[in-house]
Amino acid sequence: MDEFMRAAIDEARAGYAEGGIPIGSVIVHAGRIIGRGHNRRVQNGSPILHGEMDAFENAGRQPASVYREATLYTTLSPCAMCSGAILLYGIPRVIVGENRSFMGEEALLRSRGVELTVLDDPECIELMARLMREQPALWNEDIGE
Amino acid sequence: MDEFMRAAIDEARAGYAEGGIPIGSVIVHAGRIIGRGHNRRVQNGSPILHGEMDAFENAGRQPASVYREATLYTTLSPCAMCSGAILLYGIPRVIVGENRSFMGEEALLRSRGVELTVLDDPECIELMARLMREQPALWNEDIGE
């Protein structure tokens, strides 16, 4: 497996080990991870720290030129909020672990020119399947349902 | 002026007084402010804490039923990220101070059924005009340019 999706899955697993929702993300620029994170709804009581948002936050303030050459990896199809952050900063490429558990705003991203690759990765699918089985109410909260 | 837009402007002014970008937001449910905030790019070194995102974060974890009866007030037209958060949580009504300084994803929000009102408020316009005059590079960074 690609080392960067491996890092995103490691983030997801770390989140699950903390009692949280197992979704992780890394942002890569020039072959190097500049930001990594995982969903922190449970850990921080946060409605905005989805995995992708946590990765953006941990990358800190970056110039537009960096975002525009970056690739975002996420274990799950990005929701409207995270897709919006991707559009705001003009991230050109997004690698998605899977979209069976949740279909995010992939059509919107593609319509705005973002290059999206969906891996349909069994490990990402299993992480979400377990969470949705164990804590369905928590998962619904995370996607505003 | 509406008390809630007043509160959003007060947040924007507080952000400016801290050396930050003067954009504020409040989220109102059942006639009461449940979350308020302002842009914290400078103060926290945060690329994700736009005013609206800070208001969501400060509202904490809310059930879907609350979001779906809430109104979000923001001094400036919401960018793709903040619009995405509005869509994720199904906020049905958004009151925007102005959209002359920056046109956010108003068309997308309306296409998804969000009721949007733009006040074209002179105080909101002046706050942004001053910031864009004083710190154009900071403003460009905030919108990914």
Side-chain angles (χ1 to χ4, degrees):
Chain A
M1 171 180 289
D2 180 289
E3 66 176 301
F4 300 125
M5 183 51 72
R6 184 69 258 161
I9 295 175
D10 289 347
E11 284 289 331
R13 290 197 179 281
Y16 184 79
E18 294 162 2
I21 297 170
I23 305 172
S25 177
V26 301
I27 300 172
V28 174
H29 179 256
R32 193 173 66 83
I33 293 175
I34 60 168
R36 56 191 300 156
H38 54 262
N39 187 299
R40 296 189 182 274
R41 175 172 296 274
V42 171
Q43 298 92 318
N44 294 29
S46 172
I48 68 168
L49 286 173
H50 277 187
E52 300 91 322
M53 302 300 286
D54 195 39
F56 273 112
E57 184 72 345
N58 292 332
R61 292 170 59 181
Q62 298 287 341
S65 58
V66 166
Y67 292 123
R68 290 187 185 166
E69 292 175 345
T71 301
L72 183 142
Y73 292 74
T74 175
T75 57
L76 184 65
S77 185
C79 81
M81 173 175 66
C82 299
S83 296
I86 288 162
L87 293 176
L88 170 63
Y89 290 118
I91 305 287
R93 280 174 306 277
V94 176
I95 315 292
V96 173
E98 62 112 349
N99 62 12
R100 294 192 192 204
S101 309
F102 174 78
M103 175 55 82
E105 294 279 351
E106 296 184 7
L108 175 65
L109 289 172
R110 286 204 171 97
S111 78
R112 301 288 180 94
V114 177
E115 186 190 318
L116 213 85
T117 305
V118 180
L119 303 179
D120 201 31
D121 178 78
E123 192 174 352
C124 294
I125 293 170
E126 176 46 31
L127 278 167
M128 282 307 299
R130 181 170 59 175
L131 186 272
M132 291 161 83
R133 196 165 60 233
E134 290 175 348
Q135 301 203 65
L138 175 64
W139 171 239
N140 281 339
E141 182 192 319
D142 203 56
I143 53 172
E145 282 181 6
Chain B
M1 171 180 289
D2 179 290
E3 65 175 302
F4 300 125
M5 184 51 72
R6 184 69 260 160
I9 295 175
D10 289 347
E11 285 288 334
R13 289 197 179 281
Y16 185 80
E18 293 162 4
I21 297 171
I23 305 172
S25 178
V26 301
I27 300 171
V28 174
H29 179 256
R32 194 173 65 82
I33 294 174
I34 60 169
R36 58 190 300 156
H38 54 263
N39 187 300
R40 295 187 184 276
R41 175 172 295 274
V42 171
Q43 299 92 321
N44 294 27
S46 172
I48 67 169
L49 287 174
H50 276 187
E52 300 91 323
M53 302 300 288
D54 195 40
F56 273 111
E57 183 72 347
N58 292 332
R61 292 170 58 180
Q62 298 286 339
S65 59
V66 166
Y67 291 123
R68 288 185 187 168
E69 291 175 344
T71 302
L72 183 143
Y73 292 74
T74 175
T75 57
L76 184 65
S77 185
C79 80
M81 172 174 67
C82 299
S83 295
I86 289 162
L87 292 175
L88 170 64
Y89 289 118
I91 305 288
R93 281 174 305 280
V94 175
I95 315 291
V96 173
E98 62 112 349
N99 62 11
R100 294 193 194 203
S101 311
F102 174 77
M103 174 56 82
E105 293 279 352
E106 297 184 6
L108 175 66
L109 288 171
R110 286 202 170 98
S111 77
R112 302 286 181 96
V114 177
E115 187 191 318
L116 212 86
T117 305
V118 181
L119 303 179
D120 202 31
D121 178 79
E123 192 174 351
C124 293
I125 294 169
E126 177 46 33
L127 277 167
M128 281 308 299
R130 182 171 57 176
L131 186 275
M132 290 160 83
R133 196 166 59 232
E134 292 175 348
Q135 302 204 63
L138 175 64
W139 172 239
N140 281 340
E141 182 191 320
D142 203 55
I143 53 173
E145 284 179 6

